[in-house]
Amino acid sequence: MLTESFIASTLNPEKPNNSVTPGVHLYDFQPLPALKSTFKKSSTNTNSLAVSSTHVFAAQADKAVIHVYSRERNNQEAVIPFPEKIQSVVLAGESDGAGTLILGTEGGRVILWELGTGRQVSTPQHHLQSTTCLVVDPTSNFLLSGSSDSTIHVWSIPGLLSFSASSANRNGHDLPFSPFRSLSNHRAAIIAIVFGHSSSDQNIAVSASKDNSCIVWDYLKGDALHTFLLPSSPLCLALDPADRAVYGGYEDGSVQLIDFYSQGGLTQPLHNPALQSTPTQPPPSDRWSAPHQSASPILCLQVSYDGTSLLSGHQDGKINNWDVAAGKYDTRLADLAAPITNIVMLKPVGFPELNKPAVKLHNVVKPRYENFINGDGGGSGATIPTKYTFVAQFTSNLPLPFSADSTSFHQALHHSSFPTALLEDSLAELSSPQKVFDATTESSKLANLRAQNAALLSQLEVAEERHRSAATTVLEQKKEDWRRQKDAEIKEARKKRRRLRRMETAEVVRKKEMGEAIDDEDEDMNGGGKHEEEDLSSSTDEITESD
């Protein structure tokens, strides 16, 4: 069965009440709402809560510290101090199992804290006022920071985490660790920013400002796709899971629906050039009124996994549920008697884990303050520090790059801890060290003998090969000499036969001229020629058989 939960954090009320204990609360949302656990001693402003699969990070209001809570042990793990007060936090790269916590400071800086290494990177003061909100895109490659100075900066997270400061200067900035783009269409302080859910380069971002406007951005190109004029300034935003609409919470407790597809047409309204330059106002029917008993400012909004429910956290401590399909208030989920400043929806539990993180953090590594990785230092930092270590636990055995019958060394190297066979052998060696020493000595001698035997066999094979090669060469030379001798004898016999034939022909001609009878003598001469040819033929056959 699928279960859905959320985490809500509260702020100390203006009028202290002994019965109210602010903190971080874990609630079940589906199938039945119920309080599961609470982390006490925490008071957070809006945009000051980040949640991973193992930890909860809460930036304390009006303090320069962050409380770290362990979700596995259900206790407070650490209190991390920082040089400046923290105004906003967000988690990047959590899908990898470790993640980087990004903080926005009161002085307009952005601080990145690698949770698995403790490395800390701080940017220069690119915002003139405090950094009020931070958001990270689904790929964890881009960061948007909004400030009270009405500007929004677009950062490259890999560029900020790079060990080479020069790589950050490729964007044409004089200072290292600079944003590669700034969005400045708003005319007042930035209140909230939300990212779309797409991992493509066509993803969108939506920002809200105290100038009563809400702008949809193509943040990679720096273009304002559309501007919505609102009746008042929203205090928070939440984006639909399918990026069809954005919801804003007002100070009177009502919810504003901003539908991106309310205008018909074949072209998507956000990417229609004819509509981008003309601001629009949402119709009054898209504003959902709160019941009289819930007319309290909405400080935070979150949409459920399926997009059918909208959760709102109010200043009077109530958490309400809104029916998105009906466009109205539904039920009250909780009443914590303290301002609800943050609500974070957790991933539903019950789906098969297809992409399980390779590592898991049991404890975060506290940040280290090192000048060579600080943006103010301006140093190159081109190499990885010698003390840069990553501390985490593998969630499963590492895949073997060898076959199943790989050596015991490779199995031990890629095992998550120590193989059982290796531990048993080690214990046996410790229990009988003398036997192990003797066995080791004997095995060493046997190995030496085997090595000498292998060397002798190799030398013997080389000698045999040389002998075979020399014998073959001598035999071939003898055959060649015999062939040459036989060829010379055959040539000499042929020359002799030709001389005899020429002599016979001359004798015949002479007798004809003299009129003598030559029949008997011709027969004798022809018989002799045949015998010579037979002798030559037999000699040729002998040569062939010898070959």
Side-chain angles (χ1 to χ4, degrees):
M1 181 178 63
L2 294 177
T3 59
E4 192 173 6
S5 306
F6 66 89
I7 293 180
S9 65
T10 59
L11 177 69
N12 280 327
E14 296 180 358
K15 297 180 180 180
N17 188 349
N18 295 331
S19 60
V20 177
T21 303
V24 180
H25 310 274
L26 174 61
Y27 271 89
D28 275 342
F29 177 56
Q30 298 288 355
L32 294 175
L35 176 63
K36 293 183 64 177
S37 61
T38 299
F39 300 109
K40 299 181 180 179
K41 300 179 181 179
S42 177
S43 176
T44 59
N45 286 319
T46 56
N47 303 323
S48 299
L49 183 69
V51 181
S52 70
S53 59
T54 57
H55 291 85
V56 176
F57 306 91
Q60 300 304 295
D62 300 326
K63 294 181 181 180
V65 298
I66 286 184
H67 288 184
V68 181
Y69 300 95
S70 173
R71 294 179 58 186
E72 295 179 337
R73 296 183 294 272
N74 200 27
N75 61 0
Q76 182 173 332
E77 181 178 310
V79 177
I80 310 298
F82 286 91
E84 300 180 59
K85 293 181 180 180
I86 308 301
Q87 298 295 320
S88 54
V89 297
V90 69
L91 190 64
E94 196 272 331
S95 59
D96 298 332
T100 300
L101 190 68
I102 305 177
L103 305 87
T105 68
E106 188 178 36
R109 300 174 183 268
V110 174
I111 299 175
L112 294 90
W113 168 26
E114 292 183 356
L115 302 177
T117 66
R119 177 176 176 238
Q120 177 179 305
V121 177
S122 177
T123 69
Q125 185 179 358
H126 285 284
H127 285 296
L128 301 179
Q129 299 182 32
S130 62
T131 307
T132 55
C133 49
L134 297 170
V135 288
V136 173
D137 79 320
T139 64
S140 292
N141 288 325
F142 299 99
L143 167 72
L144 264 62
S145 62
S147 171
S148 300
D149 62 4
S150 76
T151 61
I152 299 173
H153 290 327
V154 185
W155 309 78
S156 170
I157 296 179
L160 293 175
L161 294 176
S162 173
F163 285 98
S164 176
S166 60
S167 64
N169 292 331
R170 297 172 185 171
N171 302 316
H173 297 278
D174 296 332
L175 294 174
F177 302 102
S178 300
F180 70 87
R181 194 174 305 282
S182 296
L183 312 177
S184 56
N185 288 34
H186 287 293
R187 295 294 179 266
I190 306 299
I191 299 175
I193 308 175
V194 289
F195 255 121
H197 299 84
S198 173
S199 298
S200 68
D201 56 359
Q202 300 298 320
N203 195 20
I204 61 172
V206 185
S207 62
S209 171
K210 288 186 178 181
D211 59 4
N212 298 353
S213 68
C214 181
I215 301 178
V216 183
W217 301 93
D218 182 348
Y219 58 91
L220 292 179
K221 298 179 181 178
D223 299 333
L225 300 179
H226 200 79
T227 301
F228 295 92
L229 303 180
L230 306 178
S232 60
S233 300
L235 303 181
C236 53
L237 292 177
L239 193 62
D240 178 78
D243 299 345
R244 299 169 298 184
V246 67
Y247 306 94
Y250 288 130
E251 194 169 357
D252 62 356
S254 60
V255 173
Q256 178 69 64
L257 167 64
I258 303 175
D259 190 355
F260 298 153
Y261 296 90
S262 59
Q263 301 180 7
L266 298 178
T267 307
Q268 185 183 18
L270 295 181
H271 297 278
N272 189 348
L275 302 176
Q276 291 178 0
S277 59
T278 305
T280 58
Q281 290 181 333
S285 58
D286 288 344
R287 186 167 181 173
W288 307 342
S289 300
H292 178 70
Q293 64 272 18
S294 299
S296 175
I298 299 178
L299 303 181
C300 54
L301 287 172
Q302 275 293 333
V303 185
S304 63
Y305 177 78
D306 57 4
T308 59
S309 300
L310 178 68
L311 276 62
S312 60
H314 295 257
Q315 190 167 357
D316 59 1
K318 296 179 177 60
I319 301 177
N320 295 334
N321 181 24
W322 302 75
D323 188 341
V324 173
K328 63 179 182 179
Y329 168 83
D330 187 12
T331 56
R332 179 181 301 171
L333 300 178
D335 189 354
L336 301 179
I340 309 297
T341 52
N342 298 276
I343 296 178
V344 177
M345 297 296 299
L346 304 179
K347 294 181 180 179
V349 177
F351 287 116
E353 255 186 299
L354 299 178
N355 298 321
K356 187 177 181 181
V359 297
K360 181 173 66 173
L361 290 179
H362 286 290
N363 296 284
V364 299
V365 181
K366 294 184 179 180
R368 299 190 302 269
Y369 302 96
E370 298 170 334
N371 293 330
F372 67 91
I373 59 174
N374 193 306
D376 290 338
S380 60
T383 59
I384 299 177
T386 56
K387 296 182 179 180
Y388 185 77
T389 56
F390 180 75
V391 182
Q393 179 191 9
F394 292 110
T395 57
S396 60
N397 293 339
L398 292 179
L400 290 174
F402 308 97
S403 59
D405 55 349
S406 59
T407 63
S408 58
F409 172 77
H410 291 141
Q411 293 177 359
L413 178 63
H414 293 85
H415 200 276
S416 58
S417 57
F418 293 99
T420 305
L422 181 61
L423 293 176
E424 291 177 351
D425 294 342
S426 302
L427 292 175
E429 292 179 5
L430 292 174
S431 62
S432 55
Q434 185 60 37
K435 293 181 179 180
V436 172
F437 176 76
D438 295 340
T440 304
T441 305
E442 293 297 331
S443 62
S444 177
K445 293 180 179 179
L446 182 60
N448 292 334
L449 291 175
R450 288 176 178 173
Q452 295 175 6
N453 189 21
L456 292 175
L457 289 175
S458 177
Q459 294 177 3
L460 181 60
E461 290 178 356
V462 172
E464 290 179 350
E465 182 64 26
R466 289 179 179 175
H467 176 72
R468 286 193 295 268
S469 178
T472 303
T473 303
V474 172
L475 182 60
E476 291 294 333
Q477 185 65 33
K478 289 182 178 181
K479 289 182 178 180
E480 185 66 23
D481 294 341
W482 185 84
R483 288 193 191 98
R484 290 177 181 175
Q485 182 181 358
K486 290 297 181 182
D487 289 342
E489 291 177 356
I490 292 172
K491 289 180 180 179
E492 186 64 26
R494 287 177 178 174
K495 288 180 180 180
K496 185 177 180 181
R497 187 178 61 183
R498 284 196 293 270
R499 287 196 300 270
L500 290 174
R501 285 182 179 177
R502 285 196 296 270
M503 293 172 62
E504 290 172 0
T505 304
E507 185 67 21
V508 169
V509 172
R510 186 183 63 81
K511 287 181 178 182
K512 283 183 179 181
E513 291 177 354
M514 297 174 64
E516 298 179 0
I518 57 172
D519 296 335
D520 296 335
E521 294 179 1
D522 289 341
E523 290 177 1
D524 295 337
M525 294 297 292
N526 290 334
K530 291 182 179 179
H531 290 301
E532 289 177 356
E533 290 179 356
E534 290 177 358
D535 293 339
L536 292 175
S537 299
S538 62
S539 298
T540 306
D541 295 338
E542 290 176 0
I543 293 173
T544 306
E545 292 176 357
S546 299
D547 293 339

